[in-house]
Amino acid sequence: MLITITIRDLLFPVSFLLLLPCEAVAATLGICYGRVANNLPPTSEVINILKTNGISNVRIFDPDPFTLQSFSGTGINLMTGVPNEVLPSLASGTPASALQWLQTNIFAHIVPSQIRYIAVGNEVLFKDSLYSPYLVPAIVNLYQALKMLNLDGTIKLSSPQAASVLSVSYPPSLGAFDPSLRAVLRPLLSFLHETESPFMVNVYPYFSYTNSRSNQVTLDYALFRSNDMVQDGQLMYGNLFEASLDAVVHAMEKEGFAEVEVVVSETGWPKGGGEAASVENALAYNENVVRRVVGNVGTPRRPGVGIEVYLFDLFDENGKGGDECERHFGIFGLDGVKAYDLRFNSEN
């Protein structure tokens, strides 16, 4: 049963809860460095921007040799992507051939200690489903290759998925994976569980809001500023970000994988090019996400459990297709100046 109540009815307002002291180390906050553009600054300038703003975790979407070489020795940790089109060759080969791929494409250009994750494919089940049969076999071969290098304990493998892998996401307690995807998702979740690796999901409340046909998602609920809380059983939700994550958690619980961690491999809000896309809204959304990461707020289903998040995007990408808003997620301008005053930690 779902009940909506106002924040005033709660014993403690959400703003108070966000200020509670937390002894745990803050969860990891990173940023996505998309490069589908022809006007981006040199990588050396990008690294200076990252360091100036205290950003030490970055997601790149493919193992470009020059980009990896530029990051080598900087102390910045990377989530490095494996392109979807590479999955068939990795899956049909052997661990030895996967090892050769890792050595040639990644470790020849950057020291392994700077690789935090290898993200195998991106939203394969959503936009490149023809590669779905190759996903888990490719991951397993890469894992065996990492074991040969004694790196399986320090470099984690996963595969970022679109939130649309859920067939039901509202209310969060009814969260369930699309039954047509279970043949891939269950082996993936089993691998993640066995290797203590996270389930990665790209979460975009912006698109949930703009695609909502029944006004079920309000702008205030998407932007963390709703005066209403949605009650789902014994849990309370004041924003779509946390509700979306808990829908994933519930879906994993239903499959028997309650212990698997969730990493938000992408999330953000456009500052132009579409409905409700503005600098003010982008700041409001990303600021609240950062606050929750730094404060280890967690979610109602997993309170106090810090969530690792990668904000999208470092710069606007003028080469991206799709709707105009897709090209306006950049938090920084090409000159390195923030498009809006987003603070990544308490020091910048």
Side-chain angles (χ1 to χ4, degrees):
M1 179 177 174
L2 288 166
I3 303 172
T4 301
I5 66 174
T6 63
I7 288 178
R8 291 185 298 273
D9 294 327
L10 297 178
L11 181 60
F12 298 113
V14 172
S15 57
F16 174 83
L17 296 175
L18 291 176
L19 295 174
L20 289 175
C22 183
E23 297 179 359
V25 176
T28 297
L29 177 69
I31 197 166
C32 297
Y33 176 24
R35 293 180 291 108
V36 185
N38 60 10
N39 60 349
L40 298 180
T43 311
S44 58
E45 293 182 16
V46 173
I47 291 169
N48 286 335
I49 293 169
L50 295 169
K51 287 189 169 183
T52 298
N53 288 275
I55 302 170
S56 57
N57 292 274
V58 173
R59 179 185 178 189
I60 60 175
F61 292 85
D62 62 87
D64 175 69
F66 179 76
T67 302
L68 291 173
Q69 292 164 13
S70 299
F71 275 95
S72 185
T74 63
I76 295 173
N77 300 315
L78 297 181
M79 177 195 299
T80 305
V82 176
N84 293 354
E85 59 269 20
V86 178
L87 299 185
S89 61
L90 286 172
S92 60
T94 64
S97 60
L99 173 62
Q100 182 62 44
W101 189 91
L102 287 173
Q103 296 280 32
T104 302
N105 291 278
I106 298 180
F107 299 139
H109 311 294
I110 191 169
V111 292
S113 60
Q114 280 183 253
I115 303 298
R116 182 177 176 87
Y117 298 110
I118 296 177
V120 185
N122 184 48
E123 298 189 345
V124 172
L125 303 182
F126 171 64
K127 64 183 182 182
D128 274 335
S129 58
L130 80 134
Y131 295 123
S132 297
Y134 306 105
L135 179 58
V136 175
I139 290 175
V140 170
N141 276 341
L142 287 168
Y143 177 72
Q144 294 299 328
L146 289 176
K147 285 190 74 173
M148 295 178 190
L149 298 171
N150 292 319
L151 294 173
D152 54 299
T154 56
I155 298 177
K156 296 297 183 179
L157 290 157
S158 190
S159 180
Q161 301 299 327
S164 58
V165 295
L166 298 180
S167 59
V168 179
S169 61
Y170 180 85
S173 61
L174 295 183
F177 290 116
D178 186 331
S180 68
L181 304 177
R182 291 182 79 245
V184 177
L185 282 172
R186 279 197 61 82
L188 174 61
L189 288 167
S190 180
F191 171 85
L192 299 178
H193 173 73
E194 292 172 7
T195 60
E196 298 182 348
S197 302
F199 183 84
M200 293 183 173
V201 62
N202 300 337
V203 177
Y204 285 98
Y206 173 76
F207 292 114
S208 297
Y209 165 70
T210 57
N211 293 333
S212 177
R213 296 291 179 263
S214 62
N215 295 321
Q216 193 175 49
V217 178
T218 67
L219 182 60
D220 284 343
Y221 191 61
L223 288 174
F224 298 87
R225 64 189 187 197
S226 176
N227 286 325
D228 296 328
M229 298 288 286
V230 176
Q231 182 170 349
D232 180 9
Q234 308 230 336
L235 302 179
M236 309 295 296
Y237 291 92
N239 62 82
L240 184 56
F241 177 75
E242 291 173 356
S244 299
L245 293 183
D246 274 357
V248 173
V249 171
H250 279 285
M252 292 194 298
E253 290 175 356
K254 289 180 175 67
E255 299 294 336
F257 298 100
E259 301 84 7
V260 174
E261 178 189 356
V262 175
V263 165
V264 179
S265 38
E266 291 179 35
T267 194
W269 195 282
K271 60 184 186 295
E275 179 186 356
S278 68
V279 167
E280 293 77 17
N281 288 347
L283 173 59
Y285 178 79
N286 285 325
E287 188 174 55
N288 275 286
V289 171
V290 170
R291 186 179 299 129
R292 280 158 174 76
V293 174
V294 173
N296 278 342
V297 174
T299 67
R301 186 66 175 172
R302 292 178 172 178
V305 178
I307 302 167
E308 186 167 347
V309 173
Y310 290 79
L311 298 177
F312 188 89
D313 195 2
L314 188 57
F315 304 108
D316 286 351
E317 296 181 75
N318 65 6
K320 293 199 74 171
D323 295 338
E324 179 63 26
C325 66
E326 296 275 4
R327 295 180 278 281
H328 297 280
F329 276 82
I331 295 171
F332 290 88
L334 300 177
D335 57 1
V337 177
K338 292 177 187 174
Y340 42 87
D341 189 23
L342 179 66
R343 303 197 171 199
F344 294 89
N345 55 51
S346 59
E347 300 175 358
N348 58 42

